Amino acid sequence: MTTDAVKLQSADPAWSILSAVKKSALWIFLLLVALLTLFPVVIALLGSFKSNAELTGGATILPQAWHFNNYAEVWQQAHFSTYTWNSLFISSFATVGTLLVASMAAYAVDRLHYAGKRFYVALQAATMFVSIGAVVLRPQFELMVKLHMHTSLWGVIIILISGHASIFFILLSFVKAIPRELDEAAMIDGCSKLWIYTRIIFPLLKPGLGVAALFTFRGAWNEYILPLVFTMSQPKLQVLTVGLAGLRYGISAAAQTHYMMAGACLSILPLLIVYVLANKSFMQVTSGSVKG
């Protein structure tokens, strides 16, 4: 379509009305999606300030009396600080370890030549599409028992790092986008493969590392079954997901829903912080690294 045709079409009143209707419909759809997404979060936030009787009654949306002490009681009496530290410990080390292992694997697959590379990629892809769930919990636990790591959180971290197939393929696509001329120029200067990875590939992977870090941290933070199995006999090592399930019932076996709401709202904060930090690297690109 030529420029003159575009100008004539935009000057047509019927076309302008149709364009305005499309934009309005799009905005209405996006607002509905945003409302449906935020509604459960708002309900949980308001419910965290209610008493247990008011919350279970469900008479009003807004609290009749704002109980700000719910957060203090959850943090201190329900050992929420311990659960938060354990979750941060697992999520942080699992994220760092996964990024290192997956980025090195992606660099090796794309840049190096060795026997069995195609088999390794196929094996990584197979672990993504074959979901065996709880079937592997027993052999994983028995493996950690033999390694004498079943009584610490390091066993959970190692297992989480080992399941890095999706992160591997994300970073592999970013490594493929890095010009090979950078490697060749570094090799001419006498640089080793390790130097190229640490000084060239890894710094240019910041956009991919930001995306991968967000996905990895979120997955480790929301993990439930694996920490539950490893900390079933050690309450002090329980994470937020396990601890929140335990907050449902108090000493008198009565439902403590208001504590669960407060704990759930607090558990969202670290994910929001990680998203804000990772979001800064989303728009970074590697263009301009090679001069034409």
Side-chain angles (χ1 to χ4, degrees):
M1 185 178 293
T2 62
T3 306
D4 295 335
V6 173
K7 290 181 179 179
L8 291 175
Q9 194 176 48
S10 60
D12 187 5
W15 176 260
S16 300
I17 295 174
L18 181 61
S19 178
V21 170
K22 289 183 178 179
K23 290 182 179 179
S24 300
L26 178 60
W27 277 107
I28 292 174
F29 173 75
L30 292 177
L31 287 175
L32 288 176
V33 172
L35 289 175
L36 292 175
T37 303
L38 294 176
F39 181 75
V41 180
V42 173
I43 292 299
L45 181 62
L46 294 176
S48 65
F49 294 106
K50 296 180 179 180
S51 64
N52 193 38
E54 182 183 358
L55 185 61
T56 53
T60 59
I61 297 179
L62 292 176
Q64 297 178 355
W66 295 79
H67 297 271
F68 294 96
N69 59 329
N70 288 347
Y71 286 88
E73 293 177 0
V74 167
W75 186 263
Q76 297 175 0
Q77 299 181 13
H79 308 291
F80 198 81
S81 58
T82 302
Y83 301 148
T84 303
W85 164 252
N86 293 335
S87 290
L88 286 174
F89 181 80
I90 289 179
S91 302
S92 300
F93 280 96
T95 301
V96 173
T98 300
L99 294 182
L100 288 176
V101 173
S103 62
M104 288 189 290
Y107 169 70
V109 168
D110 185 61
R111 293 297 204 263
L112 305 182
H113 300 282
Y114 54 92
K117 183 167 68 172
R118 292 185 178 180
F119 175 75
Y120 174 77
V121 176
L123 187 62
Q124 290 278 23
T127 59
M128 292 180 59
F129 298 103
V130 179
S131 177
I132 50 182
V135 177
V136 299
L137 285 177
R138 181 179 179 85
Q140 286 176 343
F141 186 79
E142 290 180 350
L143 176 61
M144 291 300 120
V145 170
K146 293 181 179 179
L147 295 175
H148 303 287
M149 302 183 68
H150 63 288
T151 58
S152 68
L153 296 177
W154 288 106
V156 179
I157 293 173
I158 292 176
I159 294 175
L160 291 176
I161 292 175
S162 63
H164 64 271
S166 59
I167 305 302
F168 162 74
F169 284 106
I170 291 175
L171 295 181
L172 180 61
S173 62
F174 279 90
V175 173
K176 290 179 180 291
I178 299 176
R180 291 178 178 268
E181 288 81 357
L182 294 175
D183 300 34
E184 297 173 358
M187 293 177 66
I188 292 175
D189 293 337
C191 299
S192 63
K193 300 291 186 182
L194 180 60
W195 194 97
I196 294 174
Y197 166 76
T198 56
R199 300 299 180 89
I200 297 178
I201 301 299
F202 195 81
L204 292 178
L205 278 179
K206 285 184 179 179
L209 291 175
V211 177
L214 179 60
F215 291 159
T216 306
F217 189 92
R218 184 189 63 181
W221 186 267
N222 293 329
E223 185 67 35
Y224 174 74
I225 296 296
L226 191 62
L228 175 63
V229 172
F230 276 78
T231 62
M232 192 173 295
S233 61
Q234 303 178 81
K236 293 184 178 180
L237 296 181
Q238 290 181 350
V239 297
L240 272 175
T241 51
V242 179
L244 280 175
L247 288 177
R248 184 174 182 180
Y249 300 104
I251 299 176
S252 59
Q256 304 292 317
T257 314
H258 59 313
Y259 288 162
M260 288 191 65
M261 292 290 186
C265 291
L266 286 175
S267 65
I268 296 175
L269 293 178
L271 289 178
L272 294 178
I273 295 173
V274 172
Y275 174 77
V276 171
L277 295 177
N279 190 46
K280 295 180 181 179
S281 63
F282 284 176
M283 301 305 294
Q284 294 181 5
V285 293
T286 59
S287 60
S289 57
V290 179
K291 294 183 179 180

